[in-house]
Amino acid sequence: MTSKPAGEADKLVRRYLAQLDAALRGVDASRRDEILAEVHGHIEEGRTGLDPGDAASVRTLLDKVGDPLPSPPRRAHRPRAAAAGTRGHRG
Amino acid sequence: MLAQVRRGVAEHCVLALLTKGGKYGFELARELGARGRIIASEGTLYPLLARLRRNGLVETSWRESNAGPPRRYYHLTRDGELALASFKEQWRFFRDAVEEILNEGSQE
C-alpha cells in the first residue's frame, strides 16, 4: 500500500477555498455560497482517481482552476459596467 | 471592453455546450478550457454559471455520482435557447464583417 497521508493535499485545498472565500467578500451571500460550493465540488471531482496524498496533482489541479474571479468591477470608475453586470440578460 | 465581449462569448459558448443535454460543472470546465482560452481558467466558469442561472438561462438539478460527490447538472431553459439563437445570429454577422474587413486589409 503506497498511499500517502492526505495532509498536505487537503491543506492546499482548504487554503485555496479560504482564499476564494476572501476574494468573494462583496458578493451577496447566496451567490458566494453557490460559487464556493461549485468550486469545491469541482476540486473534489478532479481529485477522484488521484491518490488522496498526491499534493503535486492537487497543485496542478488548482493551477487549472486558477483565480475564479476576474478583476473586480470598480464601481467608482466604471459604474455602467458594474451595473450592466447586475442587470438581467438582454439578447 | 474586450473583457466584456469575451464574457458574453463565453456565456453563449456554455449555452451552446448544453444544447444536447445537461452537463455538470467539471465537464463544462474541461470542455471550455481545452479550446482557445474561451474562459481564462476553469474557476471563472462558476461565477459565469451562477450569472446564467440568476438570469434564467440555465437551471440546475442534482444527480448522484458513482465516482464521487453528487453533481450539479446545468440545463438550458427556454430563455437560454432563445438567447443562444439570438447570439448565433449576431455573432455570425459580426464575425463575417470583421473577416471581410481583415481580408480587405491584407489584399494588395
Side-chain angles (χ1 to χ4, degrees):
Chain A
M1 197 169 52
T2 54
S3 272
K4 298 175 201 161
E8 199 205 333
D10 288 348
K11 204 165 84 170
L12 286 169
V13 173
R14 271 200 302 278
R15 193 175 70 189
Y16 182 89
L17 292 172
Q19 286 169 349
L20 175 53
D21 186 45
L24 286 170
R25 286 290 133 84
V27 175
D28 68 80
S30 65
R31 259 185 88 201
R32 184 169 81 234
D33 289 348
E34 183 180 341
I35 293 168
L36 273 170
E38 283 292 89
V39 172
H40 192 180
H42 177 105
I43 293 168
E44 289 312 307
E45 187 79 45
R47 290 183 76 186
T48 59
L50 293 178
D51 186 315
D54 184 356
S57 292
V58 167
R59 285 181 192 280
T60 304
L61 172 62
L62 292 176
D63 281 352
K64 281 199 196 141
V65 180
D67 177 358
L69 295 179
S71 16
R74 296 187 175 272
R75 288 178 186 274
H77 296 100
R78 293 204 295 253
R80 209 161 51 87
T86 57
R87 290 229 168 83
H89 177 84
R90 292 282 175 271
Chain B
M1 182 264 166
L2 210 48
Q4 280 184 294
V5 169
R6 180 198 224 167
R7 193 174 79 181
V9 169
E11 287 181 350
H12 292 89
C13 286
V14 169
L15 297 180
L17 288 174
L18 296 175
T19 41
K20 297 213 178 101
K23 290 183 174 163
Y24 59 101
F26 192 83
E27 64 177 325
L28 282 169
R30 286 286 148 109
E31 279 187 65
L32 278 173
R35 318 209 204 163
R37 293 188 60 81
I38 304 282
I39 48 175
S41 63
E42 291 178 351
T44 54
L45 177 65
Y46 295 101
L48 186 159
L49 287 170
R51 194 162 51 240
L52 288 173
R53 198 159 85 96
R54 199 176 39 162
N55 292 336
L57 302 183
V58 301
E59 59 197 357
T60 65
S61 64
W62 287 92
R63 284 185 216 171
E64 291 297 325
S65 153
N66 297 329
R71 290 168 175 161
R72 183 179 218 153
Y73 278 76
Y74 293 82
H75 314 264
L76 274 186
T77 61
R78 182 71 185 127
D79 279 355
E81 286 172 5
L82 294 172
L84 177 58
S86 168
F87 173 80
K88 279 185 184 176
E89 201 181 306
Q90 291 175 50
W91 166 260
R92 283 162 181 167
F93 183 77
F94 177 73
R95 175 202 62 191
D96 292 348
V98 172
E99 276 296 308
E100 204 178 297
I101 290 168
L102 293 181
N103 289 334
E104 274 177 40
S106 62
Q107 280 162 14
E108 292 303 333

